[in-house]
């Protein structure tokens, strides 16, 4: 391909008919017909990227060489090759979505202050925000639990919810699913996902059809891959860029094919399957790769089974866990009330080579094999999702746990993502002490009980991972019925909860007559949202907590979720196991994990007779019959017809409609950010950097977790001091994540990790630096504010792999607000480099043989960086570092503004000012 104008690819448009409608589409088959690509060899996930670049080709952002690169995808790449990708939608949850809404509101203020119409500021790409991450299990075990938990949820989060309700009323192209409705990924799977979008365009009689694609502000966004929709989790700045019509720059991925054969044996669940796959793929190392499932076993997996596998994509480390569109996809669209999408999807898929055909000769980077019939009943734990435990080995495994012979160290990136998305403030003990099993007598509700090491103190049927799957929930309901009929009860020390990912679940369980049996065992519905899986498990009984603390007991949680990091499900619980809802129920009845349920009884009935797991376990035929009878199209249609309306709590949240947001100066959760202070329609000339000071002098592999605020807010650090000054007591500090809509808190926490190592103050660790020329040691925030008062720009010096880890928007936002104008590093993690550019911070790279050490840089120098005006991609710039004694060190750095788009962002002060100026013009 050669450089073309947009019109050169207009003749790649074709039409297809679905029902009575005719649609236009961009044909990737036409690339093959013209000898420009061999589409038949490409994985289905790569075909989606080919169509995306073909459809969005403009010769400027999407150029011919980039389209050629993806159309001629290679199985391996020696060096990253980036492409501009334009997702069709953005999915948000409330916790991570608040900063995006705050930024949009601030953009409207800026337009108004410039005399423009604030109404022009809206997402240009559809955004759907689901409020699901803030409900906690404060109450459980009664029919009133749900209402009581939602009441507490609103008490804690009314400031944030008022902002979101204002956004729902004020922005176009922005929808909010209110609290108490479901979990974002299950709502996305069951309702929001379209598989093939049809968009009406001005001047065209026929709508344009193209694949549904999404980026989400949550790591489990890939759950939507189960229906052939490309989606994964991204950071806040990337999501905001997409929301405002900008491309998402990504490296062309390698694709690992997983060939499935056979079928699951009777009694084996989708949970057993996903834990096996997670173990397999973690061992193979699929980090940052696409995983695509194919093979004859595919036809034996329902969409809910596939969704369970796709949901845990982050746990096995991949970007995608993708299933191509096939007949099962169409059936699922039909039963979930999306008949028109089903008809359109089939016609489009066949026309444009997106419909799965088993006999295609697709090439993959590597191919793994999995015989579904080899899978056995499994759990995972006690601290990592990839540590699968066969059910038959649970008893021995817990013996190993008491002896500390297990891996309790989850990856830093996974822990970091958990903290960022959940707002958890918990920490684990630094080491594990081997103990012998003990049993302790306690009194609960005036009745003596015994708990000890291995006691199950939380049993939670929770998370979209499994509550999106009717088979495992109806299976658990049938087990509950059998247990109740046998007279079994859950021990009083087990905190039970049931938090489905959509209201469809409670509907079909009620019509199937199974909810009373869940409730008889204490599994009343406590929430429709994320709870135990993200650490919102609520308090244990005080007597139980006291016994755990006094005797340092290693107790357990059983949950049907996707994450089980130590002390994250609950501060007091060391051992956390992932399992199917049916096994959660079984271990709740047993009350302990040090048991072999394949040979030992679950419990004794009132007559002292043993009751075994196989006696409780339902037949597949009975489960399937109830699924067919009760999981109906009418059920989905009824529940999702009112999904954006909300309940009485949402109705009672009084918010006035207004074009601009009424900021509350007393709020400690929501503040107007200063990104647009002194904003002008025309960007100024970018001056050279002069008399800049070194803010931090860092080593190699500084992660976004070192930079971005996360977890609990220390009282003695600047953010804690700020909250105290605002009248907030430490017990109400909450987490950094919960306050990410307040830049005053977040900028005080930037570079605030207690383990960050600034070489200027070594060997001391933490959020401190030296302020020059006084050489005074201060908190990083305090030093930055003094430099700002003196109008001194700042630079950060770092080693290799700067910004590794997950994408963290505040790692870049905080840097900008603290006055950092440039970072000079040995190398960058791709996403953090993008985020720095997106906030108008200049990423510079040392020459190959240069480093902080080789150049003798101490951090006390004045820095001068020339050549910023007239920037070109990867321009070499001259740096002069002047020591206090007047000696100078001169060296060359490479600007990591890699594209013309990067330069535009930087010269405008970031993505948001760039987009705002485009809107104003």
């Amino acid at each position: 391909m050669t450089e073309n104008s947009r019109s050169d690819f207009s003749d790649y448009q074709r039409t297809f008919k679905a029902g009575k409608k005719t649609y236009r589409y961009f044909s990737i088959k036409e690339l093959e017909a013209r000898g420009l690509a061999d589409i038949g060899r490409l994985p289905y996930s790569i075909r989606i990227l080919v169509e995306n670049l073909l459809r969005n080709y403009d010769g400027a952002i999407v150029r011919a060489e980039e389209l050629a690169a993806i159309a001629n995808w290679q199985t391996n790449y020696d060096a990253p090759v980036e492409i501009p990708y334009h997702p069709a939608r953005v999915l948000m949850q409330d916790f991570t979505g608040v900063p995006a809404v705050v930024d949009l509101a601030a953009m409207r203020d800026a337009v108004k202050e410039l005399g423009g119409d604030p109404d022009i500021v809206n997402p240009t790409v559809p955004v759907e925000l689901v409020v699901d991450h803030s409900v906690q299990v404060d109450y459980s075990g009664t029919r009133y639990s749900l209402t009581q938990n939602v009441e507490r949820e609103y008490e804690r989060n009314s400031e944030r919810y008022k902002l979101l309700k204002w956004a729902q009323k004020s922005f176009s192209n922005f929808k909010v699913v209110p609290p108490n409705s479901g979990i974002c990924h299950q709502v996305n799977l069951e309702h929001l996902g379209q598989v093939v979008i049809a968009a009406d365009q001005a001047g065209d009689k026929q709508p344009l059809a193209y694949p549904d694609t999404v980026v989400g502000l949550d790591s489990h966004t890939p759950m939507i891959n189960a229906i052939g929709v490309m989606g994964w989790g991204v950071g806040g700045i990337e999501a905001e860029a997409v929301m405002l019509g900008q491309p998402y720059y990504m490296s062309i991925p390698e694709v690992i094919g997983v060939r499935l054969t056979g079928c699951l044996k009777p009694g084996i669940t989708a949970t057993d399957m996903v834990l096996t796959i997670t173990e397999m793929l973690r061992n193979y190392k699929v980090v940052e790769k696409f995983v695509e499932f194919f093979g004859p076993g595919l036809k034996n997996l329902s969409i809910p089974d596939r969704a369970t596998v796709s949901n845990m994509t982050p746990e096995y480390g991949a970007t995608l866990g993708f299933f191509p569109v096939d007949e099962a996809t169409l059936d699922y669209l039909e039963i979930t009330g999306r008949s028109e999408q089903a008809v359109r999807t089939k016609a489009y898929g066949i026309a444009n080579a997106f419909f799965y055909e088993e006999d295609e000769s697709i090439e993959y980077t590597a191919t793994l094999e999995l015989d579904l019939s080899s899978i056995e009943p499994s759990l995972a734990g006690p601290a990592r999702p990839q540590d699968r435990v066969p059910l038959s080995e649970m008893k021995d495994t817990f013996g190993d746990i008491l002896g500390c012979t297990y891996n309790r160290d989850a990856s830093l990136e996974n822990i970091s993502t958990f903290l960022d998305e959940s707002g958890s403030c918990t920490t684990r003990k630094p080491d594990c002490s081997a103990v012998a099993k003990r049993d302790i007598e306690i009194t609960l509700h005036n009745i003596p009980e015994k708990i000890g090491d291995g006691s199950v103190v939380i049993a939670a049927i929770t998370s979209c991972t499994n509550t999106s799957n009717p088979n495992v929930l109806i299976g658990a309901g049938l087990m509950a019925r059998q247990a109740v009929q046998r007279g079994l009860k859950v021990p009083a020390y087990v905190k039970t909860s049931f938090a489905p990912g959509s209201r469809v679940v409670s509907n079909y369980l009620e019509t199937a007559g199974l909810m009373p049996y869940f409730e008889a065992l204490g599994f009343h519905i406590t929430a429709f949202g994320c709870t135990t899986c993200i650490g919102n498990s609520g308090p244990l009984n005080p007597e139980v907590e006291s016994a755990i603390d006094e005797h340092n007991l290693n107790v357990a949680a059983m949950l049907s979720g996707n994450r089980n990091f130590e002390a994250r499900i609950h501060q007091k619980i060391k051992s956390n196991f992932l399992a199917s809802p049916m096994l959660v129920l079984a271990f709740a009845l047993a009350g302990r994990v040090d048991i072999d349920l394949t040979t030992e009884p679950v419990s004794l009935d009132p007559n002292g007779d043993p009751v075994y797991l196989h006696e409780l376990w339902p037949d597949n035929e009975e489960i399937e019959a109830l699924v067919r009878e009760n999981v109906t199209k009418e059920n989905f249609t009824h529940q999702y017809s009112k999904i954006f309306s909300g309940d009485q709590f949402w109705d009672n949240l009084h918010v006035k409609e207004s074009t601009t947001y009424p900021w509350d100066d007393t709020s400690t959760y929501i503040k107007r950010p200063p990104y647009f202070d002194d904003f002008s329609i025309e960007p100024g000339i970018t001056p050279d950097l002069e008399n800049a000071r070194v803010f931090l002098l860092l080593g190699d592999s500084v992660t976004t977790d070192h930079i971005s605020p996360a977890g609990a807010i220390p009282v003695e650090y600047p953010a804690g001091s700020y909250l105290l000054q605002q009248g907030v007591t430490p017990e109400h500090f909450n987490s950094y994540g919960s306050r990410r809509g307040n830049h005053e808190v977040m900028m005080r926490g930037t570079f605030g990790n207690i383990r960050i190592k600034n070489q200027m103050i070594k060997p001391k660790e933490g959020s401190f630096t030296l302020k020059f020329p006084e050489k005074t040691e201060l908190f990083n925030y305090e030093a930055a504010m003094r430099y700002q008062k003196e109008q001194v720009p700042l630079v950060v010096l770092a080693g290799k792999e700067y910004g590794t880890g997950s994408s963290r928007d505040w790692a870049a936002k905080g840097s900008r607000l603290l006055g950092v104008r440039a970072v000079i590093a040995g190398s960058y993690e791709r996403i953090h480099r993008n985020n720095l550019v997106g906030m108008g911070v200049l990423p510079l790279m040392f020459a190959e043989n240069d480093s902080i050490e080789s150049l003798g840089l101490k951090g006390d120098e004045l820095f001068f960086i020339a050549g910023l005006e007239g920037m070109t991609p990867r321009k070499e710039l001259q740096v002069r570092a002047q020591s206090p004694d007047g000696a100078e060190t001169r060296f060359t750095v490479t600007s990591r503004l890699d594209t013309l788009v990067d330069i535009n962002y930087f010269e405008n002060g970031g993505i948001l000012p760039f987009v705002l100026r485009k809107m104003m013009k």
Side-chain angles (χ1 to χ4, degrees), residues 152-210:
R152 291 296 301 275
E153 176 186 6
Y154 274 82
E155 288 171 12
R156 293 182 176 121
N157 298 285
S158 60
E159 284 187 50
R160 295 165 58 239
Y161 287 2
K162 285 179 180 178
L163 170 75
L164 298 178
K165 189 167 184 180
W166 171 82
Q168 182 189 45
K169 289 173 173 284
S170 302
F171 291 116
S172 59
N173 234 10
F174 188 97
K175 294 180 178 179
V176 174
V177 175
N180 200 24
S181 301
I183 300 174
C184 61
H185 308 304
Q186 191 162 340
V187 172
N188 194 26
L189 179 78
E190 294 178 352
H191 181 67
L192 301 176
Q194 300 181 59
V195 187
V196 173
I197 292 172
D200 292 318
Q201 296 184 324
D204 289 307
K205 293 180 180 179
Q206 298 164 336
L208 180 67
Y210 51 90

Side-chain angles (χ1 to χ4, degrees), residues 335 503-509 511 630-640:
I335 199 169
R503 286 186 166 268
V504 173
V505 172
S506 59
N507 191 303
Y508 68 65
L509 289 176
T511 59
N630 296 285
V631 182
T632 64
K633 181 176 182 177
E634 291 70 28
N635 187 353
F636 284 97
T637 303
H638 171 70
Q639 292 297 335
Y640 282 111

Side-chain angles (χ1 to χ4, degrees), residues 2 41 190 796 842:
T2 57
R41 60 171 284 273
E190 294 178 352
V796 170
L842 179 62

